[in-house]
Amino acid sequence: MAISPPVEKQQTPSTVVIDSPRPTGRRPLSPRTTSILNWLTVVAGVYVLITAVNVIGAGFSLAAGDQAATLFSFATNPIVGLMIGIVGTALTQSSSTTTSVTVGLVAGGLPLEIAVPIILGANIGTTLTNTLVSLGMIRDKDQFRRGFAAATVHDFFNLLAVAIFLPLEMMFGLLQRLATAAAGGLSGADGGVVATIFGGIGGAVKAATSPLSNLIKSVLGQIPGPWGGIVMIVLAIALILMVINLIGRKLKALLVGRAKKVLHTAIGRGPVTSIGSGALVTVMVQSSSTTTALMVPLAGSGALTLRQIYPFTLGANIGTTVTALLAAFAFDGALGTIALTAALVHLFFNVLGTLVVYGLPGLRELPLIGATWLSNLAAEKKSAAFAWVIGVFILLPLGLI
């Protein structure tokens, strides 16, 4: 009898079950939704900015009463006011914050002759950002030389503009007179259609922001004595710092690509185009710091020359004045005219500074000469760069105050 071989039991392959990945969170937002949310955040930020400026004016009026001039008597010396503007802007890294706060203080009773030097100082203080950006290139000698020159040409221009216009302001009240006349024409009874439009916009903005500002003022106004006003000022300044940084970040996310296109399109098309492009980019991103962050590294890499950067920087000076003009809409009527006057001081200073310094061939070269000399020195001796930053933006202002 034949014995059949044992039949091997067939192994059934085990089935490996792989778990499908479980969702770890919410689905990411679409680019369109993200863009819409960013724009809504910008609108909300502008709303809070205008509200906060209104609260500053009310807080300063409550805290100082009729003693506003006495409270700031230490700043009646224009040089001291200038230094306050430099230090305040250097500490907050935002000239928009300094000028917005100043607009609110003027509406609250701060004399305009004290506010003007503070606004001029803000223009110098904001140039610190350029210089700090360029310090990131300090390890590469040639790159640092180019980047530091592109940064400090802004410093030298603003220092020269202040050296020209501060004495004119002290002797003749030039900026104050021009701004007062323009503000009267834009918002006064004789302004015609322009005043009607401006007044309508101001009234609408005031009506929209009044509920929140009135709520803050009614709550903090319960604090006895001048302390309620002081708390209002501190809270409003904190809000302004927060929303200006927030608006800058959101606009940077929304528009920085377009801003770069504007920058590159403007290169080599003449100084007027460069100035206009610098102003446009700064209005788009609401931050002259972002504008300089775009151009200083390009200069350091050699993609842009110092002469190409120079007029673009002046445009950034003009573009950054928009924030103070927005802040002026926190008020209407007589207070609106006063606030607008302070904002226009900033605008006129930058426009006239550009026309005078850049428009006159002899003066035009001075910031270029100064920036080239300092950058060559700093490239050889790194300590010179740090001495410039600490001396101009910290030690000198604090010493004079």
Side-chain angles (χ1 to χ4, degrees):
M1 179 175 166
I3 300 174
S4 58
V7 179
E8 294 182 1
K9 193 177 284 185
Q10 190 172 1
Q11 299 289 329
T12 304
S14 59
T15 303
V16 179
V17 179
I18 301 175
D19 292 334
S20 59
R22 296 179 180 178
T24 56
R26 296 181 179 179
R27 293 176 61 186
L29 298 175
S30 67
R32 180 181 177 81
T33 303
T34 302
S35 178
I36 292 172
L37 290 176
N38 283 341
W39 278 118
L40 291 174
T41 303
V42 169
V43 172
V46 172
Y47 178 87
V48 174
L49 168 67
I50 294 173
T51 301
V53 171
N54 185 285
V55 171
I56 280 183
F60 186 65
S61 181
L62 180 62
D66 297 329
Q67 305 299 316
T70 304
L71 187 64
F72 272 79
S73 58
F74 70 95
T76 52
N77 183 330
I79 301 299
V80 174
L82 181 74
M83 298 303 133
I84 291 172
I86 294 174
V87 172
T89 305
L91 291 176
T92 61
Q93 282 292 281
S94 171
S95 61
S96 298
T97 298
T98 304
T99 53
S100 298
V101 169
T102 305
V103 166
L105 292 176
V106 168
L110 179 69
L112 195 58
E113 56 268 20
I114 293 177
V116 172
I118 295 175
I119 292 172
L120 268 58
N123 254 54
I124 295 176
T126 195
T127 62
L128 174 61
T129 305
N130 310 14
T131 312
L132 293 177
V133 169
S134 69
L135 291 178
M137 311 171 189
I138 200 165
R139 293 188 177 183
D140 187 314
K141 186 175 181 180
D142 291 333
Q143 188 178 18
F144 178 59
R145 179 186 286 108
R146 293 189 294 264
F148 196 67
T152 53
V153 73
H154 198 187
D155 300 358
F156 280 103
F157 172 84
N158 281 330
L159 287 168
L160 179 57
V162 168
I164 292 170
F165 283 96
L166 183 60
L168 291 175
E169 187 65 25
M170 293 167 63
M171 290 186 288
F172 308 111
L174 175 65
L175 296 172
Q176 184 176 340
R177 289 173 183 271
L178 288 173
T180 300
L186 287 171
S187 58
D190 299 328
V193 176
V194 174
T196 302
I197 295 173
F198 189 89
I201 295 173
V205 171
K206 182 68 182 296
T209 56
S210 288
L212 179 57
S213 62
N214 288 340
L215 176 62
I216 295 173
K217 288 184 282 189
S218 63
V219 171
L220 298 182
Q222 303 299 319
I223 301 174
W227 295 106
I230 293 171
V231 173
M232 284 185 199
I233 293 171
V234 172
L235 174 64
I237 291 174
L239 285 174
I240 290 172
L241 276 169
M242 180 185 72
V243 299
I244 284 180
N245 288 329
L246 178 64
I247 290 170
R249 289 200 307 272
K250 296 303 179 183
L251 286 176
K252 184 177 179 180
L254 288 163
L255 300 172
V256 73
R258 298 178 190 177
K260 285 182 179 178
K261 289 180 182 178
V262 172
L263 188 155
H264 287 291
T265 302
I267 300 304
R269 296 205 173 187
V272 175
T273 302
S274 293
I275 291 170
S277 300
L280 178 59
V281 168
T282 304
V283 170
M284 287 169 64
V285 299
Q286 274 298 287
S287 171
S288 58
S289 300
T290 300
T291 305
T292 57
L294 288 172
M295 64 184 182
V296 169
L298 290 173
S301 67
L304 299 178
T305 67
L306 181 59
R307 287 190 178 275
Q308 289 172 322
I309 286 290
Y310 184 19
F312 192 85
T313 300
L314 308 188
N317 271 356
I318 296 171
T320 198
T321 62
V322 169
T323 307
L325 292 170
L326 283 175
F329 282 115
F331 310 94
D332 58 0
L335 287 182
T337 302
I338 294 171
L340 179 61
T341 303
L344 287 173
V345 165
H346 194 202
L347 176 63
F348 280 128
F349 170 66
N350 283 299
V351 171
L352 291 176
T354 299
L355 290 174
V356 172
V357 176
Y358 194 79
L360 298 177
L363 292 178
R364 182 189 308 160
E365 297 298 316
L366 293 181
L368 293 170
I369 294 170
T372 302
W373 168 79
L374 183 61
S375 64
N376 287 333
L377 178 63
E380 299 300 328
K381 298 180 179 179
K382 303 298 189 294
S383 58
F386 293 99
W388 174 261
V389 172
I390 296 172
V392 171
F393 298 102
I394 299 175
L395 295 182
L396 179 61
L398 289 179
L400 290 174
I401 291 174

